[in-house]
Amino acid sequence: MWQRLLLRFLVALSAIASIGGLLWMTFAPPPGMKATKDGVPYLSPPVIHPVSGEAVPLETLVQHYKGGK
């Protein structure tokens, strides 16, 4: 009987910790999760190259205009 209560307590505790962590990262993410050092958002889609039509990562485009590689 007490094993079942202990297991339910541990399951509830882990669910609360998981949901709390997800909400915390959603509403107050650390600065490193928002953008790269060049200011490119981590979750940005690729951009289309105007000449070839292929998808190019946004980081490559930023490096090109900043004079990098």
Side-chain angles (χ1 to χ4, degrees):
M1 176 73 177
W2 65 273
Q3 292 97 350
R4 185 172 286 192
L5 284 173
L6 182 61
L7 184 60
R8 287 183 181 174
F9 174 72
L10 290 174
V11 167
L13 186 65
S14 64
I16 290 170
S18 298
I19 292 170
L22 287 172
L23 289 174
W24 180 36
M25 287 297 124
T26 301
F27 293 111
M33 287 184 64
K34 294 180 181 177
T36 64
K37 63 179 180 170
D38 293 324
V40 178
Y42 283 117
L43 300 176
S44 58
V47 294
I48 297 175
H49 191 279
V51 177
S52 65
E54 66 183 56
V56 178
L58 189 57
E59 183 72 30
T60 307
L61 184 68
V62 169
Q63 287 297 321
H64 172 75
Y65 283 107
K66 286 182 87 174
K69 295 181 183 177

